[in-house]
Amino acid sequence: MIYPSTIQAITIAKNGGPEVIEKTEIPFPKVEPGHLVVKVQYLGVNFIDTYYREGLYLISKYPFVIGKETAGVIVGLPTDDAVLNDPDYQKRGYREGSRVAVDSLSTHAEYVSVPWKTVYPVPDSVSTLTAVAAVLQGVTAISFMEEAYNVQKGDIILIHTVAGGLGLLFCQLAKSRGATVIGTTSTEEKAAVARQNGADHVIIYKKESTVQRVLEITNGEGVHAVFDGVGKDTFDSNFEMLRRKGTLVSVGNASGAVAPFPPLRLVHKNLKLLRPTMSNYAYTASEVLYYSNTLWGLVANGTLRPLIHKEYPFTAEGVREAQSDLTSGKTTGKLVIKVSD
């Protein structure tokens, strides 16, 4: 394929609010010998996009292409013989025209050139739209509930923002493993969605005390694990709701970064605290393939059912709206950007 010399991408030239988001023309990405080239069809919108935009996560060079989740069609294969002969590469069955999902930074563009290890083959049973709605949050849910805290039958699990894209997948997965799920959310409408996706108890935190309700539900004992993507606003109260030897998995920073933390706070109940990132669980080629196969298997059998909140256009205005909607707390499920057919 002859690649175009320039492409359209979603970029920022400085940190700030949604207004700094632009759609600009940039050079076609550099194609390394070990890269796959993907023509993008959909983009996934995630809180990590807002962290880079706001400056919570540092950017070394501007203009910066935002985004970390993409899905589309392979239009170029690696040329490095060592890659082509790598058994892990060959297991994936990449070919031009096959569909893939990508977990790689700076990929909100018409085309991306990315290391093959970060690319998830999408089976014929899964649509490209479902793939982009599932890959980052689905692998996050699976890896965090296997490796950060291995959810078991009989566990009682607390999931903050249970009606969001990641929260719903956490809920579905925990229920499939035999756990009792307590979720927090902001409205009755979101609570109904959470219950439809398996939540046993839903706490509307704007109307009732999360700590009081969790302790009531657990007869004062607390939960085995908390999965908290809110961050600053909920962090401290989690320690009141965890039982002895419980685990706090700090998933994200939707309300802001957590303040510096003294480890001595863990002593009172012998608690565990983790702040993992999915990309360090799905890091090696074999790990990515394992989580890829696990994810698509759970999607195919109906265990994981991504809920798409809305499709937005591939414009600066569309991405601004998507990020604003995401951070407003008014959405349920996944937000996606349509780039091409």
Side-chain angles (χ1 to χ4, degrees), residues 94-167:
Y94 294 132
R95 66 185 188 280
E96 289 188 11
S98 62
R99 295 174 306 112
V100 291
V102 178
D103 167 33
S104 191
L105 195 60
S106 295
T107 50
H108 279 195
E110 292 178 302
Y111 289 84
V112 296
S113 174
V114 287
W116 66 270
K117 292 180 182 180
T118 68
V119 179
Y120 293 72
V122 177
D124 292 341
S125 59
V126 177
S127 71
T128 311
L129 178 57
T130 298
V132 82
V135 63
L136 197 151
Q137 292 175 337
V139 175
T140 296
I142 297 165
S143 60
F144 283 25
M145 286 193 163
E146 283 193 5
E147 300 199 50
Y149 178 80
N150 190 8
V151 176
Q152 301 289 312
K153 183 178 181 179
D155 283 348
I156 306 174
I157 304 298
L158 174 62
I159 301 168
H160 286 297
T161 58
V162 70
L166 178 59

Side-chain angles (χ1 to χ4, degrees), residues 167-183:
L168 290 174
L169 296 181
F170 270 140
C171 183
Q172 294 164 7
L173 187 59
K175 284 303 296 179
S176 76
R177 286 171 162 248
T180 296
V181 174
I182 305 171

Side-chain angles (χ1 to χ4, degrees), residues 232 235-236 239 257-265 273:
K232 178 173 66 69
F235 186 77
D236 287 336
F239 296 94
V258 173
F261 173 84
L264 277 174
R265 289 192 62 187
L273 168 65

Side-chain angles (χ1 to χ4, degrees), residues 169-208:
L169 296 181
F170 270 140
C171 183
Q172 294 164 7
L173 187 59
K175 284 303 296 179
S176 76
R177 286 171 162 248
T180 296
V181 174
I182 305 171
T184 68
T185 194
S186 57
T187 68
E188 292 284 0
E189 293 76 14
K190 288 186 174 185
V193 172
R195 292 188 188 98
Q196 291 165 7
N197 285 269
D200 298 285
H201 308 274
V202 184
I203 300 165
I204 301 174
Y205 62 82
K206 291 186 177 181
K207 295 183 178 180
E208 51 192 335

